[in-house]
Amino acid sequence: MRDAYYDQLRAIVDDVVALTAMVRRSLASATLALLDADRALAEQVIANDSRIDQLTNDIEDRAFLIMATQSPVAGDLRQLVATMRIIADLERMGDHSVHIAKVARMREPAIAVPLELQPTIRSMADVADAMIEAASHIVAERDVAAAPKLERKDDEMDKLHRKLFRTLLSDSWEFGVEAAIDMALLSRYYERIGDHAVSMARRMVFQVTGTRELV
C-alpha cells in the first residue's frame, strides 16, 4: 500500500518535470515567433497554453487527493504543498510565453524587436531557458547545492533588463513610443519568467533545508 503511495508522489514529481519541459518549449517557440515574425508559430504557442493549464490542474488535483486520502505528514506534506506552488510558478511562465507570442502576432508581418535589440532579447530568452532548466533539475533531483548557480543567472537576467531599459531611455532611441512599450513589456516578461524559476528553486530549498535562501 505504501509502495503505491510513494509511486504516486514520484509520479507527481515526474509530471512537474514534464510540465517544465512544456513551458520551455512554449518559451522557445514564442521567442522564435517574436524574432521571425512567425504568426503561425505565435498562434500555436497561444493555443498550446491550454495543455499547460490542463497538466497544471491535473497535478494539483492529484496532490489534493493524496492529502485528502493518505494524510501525509512532515516531508511528504511539505513536498505536496511545495509542488502546488511550483506548478503555479510554471503556469505563470507559460502565461508570460503567451504574452510574448501575442506581441509577435500583434506586430506581424513586421518584426516587433528592432534589429539592435534582438541580441539582447535572444540573450534574455537563453538565460530564462537556462533558469527554467536549472530549476527543473533542482526540483527533480532535490539538488539544493545547484541553487546558487540559479541566483547568479538571475543577476545576469537583471543586468540584461537594465541594459535594455538604458537603450529605451537613451536620446538615441529612434523607434517610437509603440516599439518602446513593446520592448518594455517583453523585457518584463522574460525577467518575470526568471523570477518564477528562482521561486521554484527557493521552494525546493525550503522543503529540503528549512530556509529559502539560495546561497
Side-chain angles (χ1 to χ4, degrees), residues 37-143:
D38 189 331
R39 184 183 183 89
L41 188 56
E43 295 283 8
Q44 182 181 323
V45 171
I46 295 165
N48 286 346
D49 190 54
S50 62
R51 295 174 56 208
I52 292 175
D53 293 342
Q54 182 178 353
L55 183 53
T56 299
N57 292 335
D58 179 62
I59 295 170
E60 185 178 61
D61 289 346
R62 286 154 53 205
F64 274 125
L65 182 62
I66 291 173
M67 285 192 286
T69 60
Q70 302 291 339
S71 301
V73 296
D76 292 345
L77 181 59
R78 288 198 303 273
Q79 177 185 333
L80 290 168
V81 172
T83 293
M84 287 189 287
R85 292 176 175 174
I86 285 169
I87 62 175
D89 283 318
L90 286 166
E91 185 179 28
R92 288 301 297 144
M93 292 184 205
D95 291 341
H96 289 310
S97 298
V98 168
H99 295 328
I100 292 167
K102 286 182 175 178
V103 173
R105 183 179 66 177
M106 180 171 57
R107 300 304 176 203
E108 187 272 337
I111 296 176
V113 183
L115 185 62
E116 69 180 66
L117 287 178
Q118 288 182 17
T120 302
I121 289 296
R122 285 194 181 92
S123 294
M124 295 186 84
D126 288 344
V127 172
D129 179 70
M131 292 178 75
I132 301 171
E133 182 181 27
S136 176
H137 168 78
I138 292 165
V139 170
E141 304 299 331
R142 299 168 62 90
D143 184 7

